Amino acid sequence: MLVLVINSGSSSLKYQVRDVAAGSVLTEGLIEKIGMGNGGDGDGEIEGPRDHAEALEQVDAAIHQELGDLELAAVGHRVVHGGERFAEPVLIDNEITRAIERLNPLAPLHNPANVLGIRAISKKWPKMPQVAVFDTAFHRTLPEHAWRYAVPDELYTNHGIRRYGFHGTSHEYVTRRAAALLNLPVNEFDGVIAHLGNGASVTAIRGGRSVDTSMGFTPLEGLVMGTRSGDLDPSILVFLGRAGWSPEDIDTMLNRESGLKGLAGNNDMRSVVEAAEAGDGKAATALAVTSYRLAKYIGGYHVAVGGAKALVFTAGIGENSHQFRALVAEKLGALGVELDAGLNAERSKEPRVISTPQSGLPVLVVPTDEERAIAEATAAVVRSGQ
Ligand code: ADP
């Protein structure tokens, strides 16, 4: 089954055509600057498609140029926010599209863009089955004590203010692969998954289900990330508001100017590690803060899952930065964690164990593949609906 996977942002559209049975990518691409151009009309100086419908025409043309005539069986959309309603991928119809749209206030940058992508496909290919795969869905199993904030109930009942969690598609996929690597049925897997990319989150898995996760109402909560602060005292925001900062100023500072960028002046982990190794004190501090925050969460989640059977690293930093993994592991001595330096330093695209046989718990590196997970979920929904 050939599935087109779409990750639609407000001004960009990422796509992949996947052969689900073969697990392969047939072609992929990125259309940028949507809404910024004139679609090649006029004097042709302004680049970029006018809207998502025009971007989709470009995707269609690129796919056919690359692969010739082919029949897509379905389209799978990465949808950021599924709110409290969506715990599973769903086949999209008008009502589902409107339900995703009603969640716009919870994800103002993402859900409107996801809906534009869905509507563009519905218009171009009205009969094409479309499936929404939600970033929040895997965390619908969080118990109330993990998703509640200790604030007046009306904030939850009137505004939906609670913890939702994100990166769910990746955490679920990596959970399954980690369980397989340990020869465990997934429902017997208790562990901690650290998804460390530009955005980063860590999830506590008990019996194969998410029971706690570090991102909350938005992806800002939790770990120190590339440009996001993660956890801080909320009074800082009140303090800044009183000092004259606007909500937009605060939002930009916390989401775009903080994290590794705020501490070390650079949001790229490779550069921060290189700078620290060259003796840059700010870069060393950034690594210390970032690895300490993660180690604290891992300790907490070890308790939350009743004793983790594995610690799993994934995504850009988790899969590639042996230096950062080592920094985290050296703070986990209380759990008996011990990395094998040689295995940790090895580069590989395969799921693997990087701890010693004596380690208190196995430490794994498991590459994530969100597009693959979306394509497989899409195919499964379409098949079950036939
Ligand atoms: P996104 O959240 O944008 O999908 P990624 O999962 O691609 O992010 O992760 C991006 C991060 O991974 C960056 O901080 C980058 O420096 C880091 N990274 C990628 N490759 C390497 C590498 N070989 N060594 C160390 N860090 C790496």
Side-chain angles (χ1 to χ4, degrees):
M1 186 184 283
L2 299 186
V3 172
L4 172 63
V5 176
I6 297 269
N7 185 349
S8 175
S10 55
S11 66
S12 68
L13 196 157
K14 258 200 260 180
Y15 67 91
Q16 273 191 359
V17 176
R18 307 219 37 144
D19 181 332
V20 175
S24 59
V25 183
L26 302 186
T27 185
E28 61 187 324
L30 168 68
I31 310 286
E32 291 180 291
K33 299 185 181 172
I34 300 173
M36 295 175 195
N38 62 4
D41 293 356
D43 59 16
E45 278 179 13
I46 313 170
E47 280 178 60
R50 257 178 298 234
D51 53 23
H52 284 71
E54 216 167 82
L56 184 62
E57 293 300 332
Q58 294 186 6
V59 172
D60 188 30
I63 292 174
H64 281 92
Q65 194 182 358
E66 191 84 13
L67 304 172
D69 271 347
L70 83 174
E71 188 137 353
L72 293 171
V75 176
H77 294 267
R78 173 180 188 228
V79 178
V80 167
H81 220 302
E84 292 196 307
R85 170 165 171 184
F86 297 107
E88 300 280 343
V90 287
L91 194 63
I92 296 172
D93 58 17
N94 279 335
E95 191 275 321
I96 296 284
T97 310
R98 283 196 300 274
I100 295 171
E101 208 164 29
R102 280 196 297 277
L103 294 164
N104 284 355
L106 294 177
L109 295 180
H110 295 106
N111 274 37
N114 299 151
V115 169
L116 287 171
I118 292 168
R119 293 227 161 99
I121 302 266
S122 307
K123 201 160 161 216
K124 184 166 171 57
W125 296 311
K127 298 219 153 58
M128 176 76 75
Q130 297 189 68
V131 173
V133 182
F134 300 93
D135 243 25
T136 49
F138 183 55
H139 303 301
R140 286 291 291 114
T141 49
L142 252 58
E144 186 169 358
H145 61 252
W147 63 251
R148 275 272 176 190
Y149 290 115
V151 291
D153 194 44
E154 63 183 14
L155 270 70
Y156 168 57
T157 48
N158 294 347
H159 300 287
I161 294 179
R162 52 159 284 178
R163 310 186 66 256
Y164 292 97
F166 298 88
H167 287 151
T169 306
S170 174
H171 285 295
E172 181 177 25
Y173 176 79
V174 170
T175 297
R176 274 190 275 123
R177 291 191 83 188
L181 186 64
L182 296 175
N183 286 319
L184 285 171
V186 70
N187 61 5
E188 287 176 24
F189 179 83
D190 304 325
V192 180
I193 314 280
H195 174 113
L196 312 175
N198 267 317
S201 67
V202 53
T203 293
I205 306 287
R206 188 164 197 165
R209 291 162 161 242
S210 171
V211 293
D212 204 350
T213 191
S214 59
M215 286 178 167
F217 179 59
T218 73
L220 183 56
E221 190 176 343
L223 302 177
V224 179
M225 312 184 205
T227 61
R228 296 191 192 118
S229 64
D231 297 334
L232 41 71
D233 181 343
S235 295
I236 296 168
L237 316 188
V238 179
F239 176 92
L240 291 176
R242 287 185 182 136
W245 290 50
S246 69
E248 286 69 30
D249 293 340
I250 296 176
D251 189 53
T252 303
M253 183 270 290
L254 293 175
N255 280 296
R256 298 184 191 282
E257 308 294 338
S258 296
L260 291 177
K261 187 174 178 198
L263 291 168
N266 194 315
N267 67 323
D268 191 294
M269 182 54 91
R270 268 168 299 202
S271 310
V272 177
V273 167
E274 278 168 24
E277 285 172 353
D280 181 329
K282 284 191 175 161
T285 302
L287 292 178
V289 174
T290 306
S291 57
Y292 173 67
R293 178 84 54 88
L294 175 56
K296 251 193 335 186
Y297 265 97
I298 293 168
Y301 287 178
H302 181 61
V303 173
V305 305
K309 290 179 188 147
L311 165 62
V312 188
F313 286 99
T314 191
I317 298 168
E319 291 167 31
N320 296 300
S321 183
H322 62 92
Q323 298 96 329
F324 187 73
R325 291 192 300 252
L327 279 175
V328 176
E330 75 188 24
K331 296 177 176 65
L332 297 173
L335 304 184
V337 167
E338 195 181 278
L339 290 193
D340 178 311
L343 292 177
N344 184 37
E346 248 171 49
R347 300 193 65 82
S348 161
K349 292 268 164 230
E350 294 303 311
R352 58 198 185 276
V353 176
I354 58 166
S355 50
T356 64
Q358 298 78 36
S359 180
L361 67 160
V363 182
L364 276 47
V365 175
V366 174
T368 190
D369 189 342
E370 284 168 285
E371 285 78 14
R372 179 181 186 144
I374 291 170
E376 288 175 356
T378 299
V381 168
V382 169
R383 270 192 223 106
S384 72
Q386 277 167 355

